[in-house]
Amino acid sequence: NGGVLSGMEGEGDGDEGEMVVGEESPLQSTHQPLLSSANGTEEDGYYLTTSGNDNGITTSTSQSALTRQLNSQKQQSVTQSPSQQPHHSTSRKKQEFTLLSEIKTCLSSPTLVSLSLGYAAMIGVVSSLGTFGGAFILALQLFDDERTAAVCFGIAAALSGVIGTPLGGKLVDRVMERHFHQENHNPNHDHNQNHTTTTSSSTSSSPIANTTNPMGLNIDPTTRNTLLSSLLPRLNLLVLLAVLFVLPTLLMQQAAFFLSFLFLGWTFLFATQTGLMVSAMLTVDRAHRPNALAFLTLTSHILGDVPAPIALGWIKDRLAPECRIGEDGDFEDPEGCAEEEEGVRLGLGVAYLWMGWSLVFFEVARRFAKRGLVRTEAKEERNGGGEDGYQRGDGGKDGREGGND
């Protein structure tokens, strides 16, 4: 405000000093630092000499009183009990990570387990259709040439992945941007209760990077369950749209319509990938996120893309035995396979309907996330007084009294 804080004037011998505060006057001289030693004795010269103008306001403070005050605060901080220490200075016990402890952590999250089962069902269908897709559309007599059938099917699948995955990422960005935008503009929201603050530059182009609680940092369980409750229904909707678009292909006789609807269905299916990865990370604390993704991937292999193609191939051979592929890469009986078109479509329908398990398990995961949200909110209400007291206090008596209240 334009004033000058001069400090204390004295000779370091324990005499009275002056505190001079003037207006619009530059500092003219500086003596010794306020703390010249860490011993805390009166002979150490705890003073700072700086002169101002003559219009300042003068007050006196003795060096010995200042020394006693500093020593008293130091002794109080040393003898303070752990329960009286400020909440933010509590040291955490070092956490050890082992293979068994990480597996236990992942299995103890019902939301992650349900999410992994749904993801395994979806990956199993994608892998099965990628393995036998060319054979299916060739058996349905949509193409005359196996190479042309495989190329067209592969292009449709690849384009759906290239387009669907970034669209799904954009959807996740919008969900999280809306959540943190509402949190930041909520008049009842206490930003001091956030566990972390952003370190991103204000010029970042990402809408999430400028919020007070970005995804990349550690967030509290309430926020994690809130985001899960918002993301999982949208993932389920995308899977449902994918099923609704691929089911009509069971009745189509034209290759163009068949591949077009298959492309749209797979686009919605691949749009779930980003949301699934983010949801898996939200099911656990920040330290366990890598292993949560590893658990999701491992489950998708064990229960998804490894056994599913074997099972679907067996079902196809049972429903359309004449459409078995021989060692030369062709159908064993092409003419007999043409007569078993109904069995081929039925086998393809089994693959489509298998994605229904994804709908079931994603809904189960959403319910677990909702239950976790209710539980954490109730816990915060019970412990809200103590935590707020520590966070509002300055680590001293007021903060501890607020915590006790």
Side-chain angles (χ1 to χ4, degrees):
N1 295 328
V4 178
L5 178 62
S6 299
M8 298 173 59
E9 295 182 352
E11 298 297 329
D13 54 357
D15 297 335
E16 295 290 319
E18 292 183 345
M19 181 73 73
V20 181
V21 179
E23 294 183 355
E24 300 180 354
S25 175
L27 296 176
Q28 298 178 356
S29 62
T30 302
H31 204 48
Q32 296 182 1
L34 181 62
L35 299 178
S36 60
S37 174
N39 297 328
T41 59
E42 295 186 3
E43 292 78 2
D44 288 336
Y46 288 86
Y47 58 89
L48 174 66
T49 302
T50 304
S51 60
N53 61 354
D54 297 334
N55 296 326
I57 301 174
T58 305
T59 182
S60 299
T61 303
S62 64
Q63 176 189 357
S64 58
L66 178 61
T67 304
R68 288 194 299 269
Q69 182 180 1
L70 292 174
N71 290 337
S72 176
Q73 292 179 356
K74 182 178 179 180
Q75 183 178 6
Q76 181 180 2
S77 63
V78 172
T79 59
Q80 196 175 40
S81 63
S83 61
Q84 295 175 336
Q85 293 290 339
H87 182 67
H88 58 80
S89 63
T90 306
S91 60
R92 288 185 176 181
K93 183 179 179 180
K94 186 177 180 180
Q95 188 175 6
E96 296 182 358
F97 296 94
T98 62
L99 178 61
L100 293 179
S101 66
E102 289 301 293
I103 294 176
K104 182 179 179 181
T105 299
C106 294
L107 292 176
S108 62
S109 173
T111 307
L112 178 60
V113 173
S114 302
L115 198 68
S116 300
L117 294 176
Y119 183 61
M122 185 173 62
I123 290 298
V125 173
V126 173
S127 178
S128 299
L129 293 180
T131 303
F132 298 105
F136 271 117
I137 61 177
L138 188 61
L140 293 175
Q141 304 179 29
L142 300 177
F143 293 93
D144 297 330
D145 182 22
E146 180 182 0
R147 176 175 297 180
T148 304
V151 170
C152 293
F153 186 87
I155 290 176
L159 284 178
S160 62
V162 171
I163 297 175
T165 302
L167 289 179
K170 188 66 176 179
L171 174 64
V172 173
D173 286 343
R174 289 200 171 193
V175 171
M176 301 185 68
E177 176 188 0
R178 185 178 65 176
H179 170 77
F180 290 119
H181 178 78
Q182 293 176 350
E183 184 180 76
N184 294 337
H185 291 79
N186 184 4
N188 297 324
H189 177 70
D190 185 7
H191 295 285
N192 292 329
Q193 294 180 2
N194 288 336
H195 290 263
T196 56
T197 57
T198 182
T199 59
S200 302
S201 172
S202 59
T203 60
S204 174
S205 60
S206 174
I208 302 178
N210 296 326
T211 60
T212 59
N213 210 353
M215 174 59 198
L217 300 180
N218 195 20
I219 53 180
D220 57 278
T222 301
T223 305
R224 290 196 281 112
N225 287 315
T226 301
L227 290 172
L228 282 172
S229 300
S230 299
L231 286 173
L232 291 176
R234 289 167 172 81
L235 297 181
N236 237 355
L237 179 61
L238 291 174
V239 176
L240 180 60
L241 290 175
V243 174
L244 293 179
F245 270 96
V246 298
L247 281 178
T249 61
L250 299 176
L251 305 175
M252 293 179 179
Q253 301 292 336
Q254 299 294 326
F257 289 104
F258 183 93
L259 292 178
S260 297
F261 275 78
L262 189 68
F263 164 77
L264 293 175
W266 276 28
T267 300
F268 286 112
L269 198 63
F270 282 116
T272 62
Q273 298 302 302
T274 304
L276 285 169
M277 299 301 110
V278 173
S279 298
M281 291 189 291
L282 289 173
T283 58
V284 294
D285 293 334
R286 181 186 181 186
H288 305 288
R289 288 178 184 175
N291 288 311
L293 293 178
F295 182 83
L296 185 73
T297 304
L298 181 63
T299 306
S300 68
H301 292 323
I302 296 177
L303 301 178
D305 55 14
V306 172
I310 300 174
L312 184 61
W314 181 83
I315 293 174
K316 179 184 72 67
D317 291 343
R318 296 284 292 183
L319 295 176
E322 300 299 333
C323 294
R324 294 176 181 174
I325 300 176
E327 295 181 357
D328 57 353
D330 296 328
F331 295 124
E332 294 182 355
D333 187 0
E335 296 181 358
C337 180
E339 299 177 357
E340 294 180 346
E341 180 179 341
E342 183 178 355
V344 175
R345 293 185 183 274
L346 185 58
L348 191 60
V350 171
Y352 292 162
L353 293 178
W354 190 256
M355 287 189 293
W357 288 112
S358 297
L359 296 173
V360 173
F361 285 116
F362 288 165
E363 175 61 21
V364 173
R366 185 196 68 83
R367 292 177 180 269
F368 278 123
K370 193 68 175 179
R371 184 182 302 177
L373 177 61
V374 174
R375 187 183 300 112
T376 52
E377 285 180 346
K379 183 177 180 180
E380 287 180 356
E381 289 180 0
R382 291 194 302 268
N383 301 332
E387 295 180 356
D388 292 344
Y390 278 121
Q391 292 170 351
R392 288 193 302 266
D394 57 355
K397 180 178 179 181
D398 296 338
R400 293 192 298 273
E401 289 179 351
N404 295 330
D405 293 341

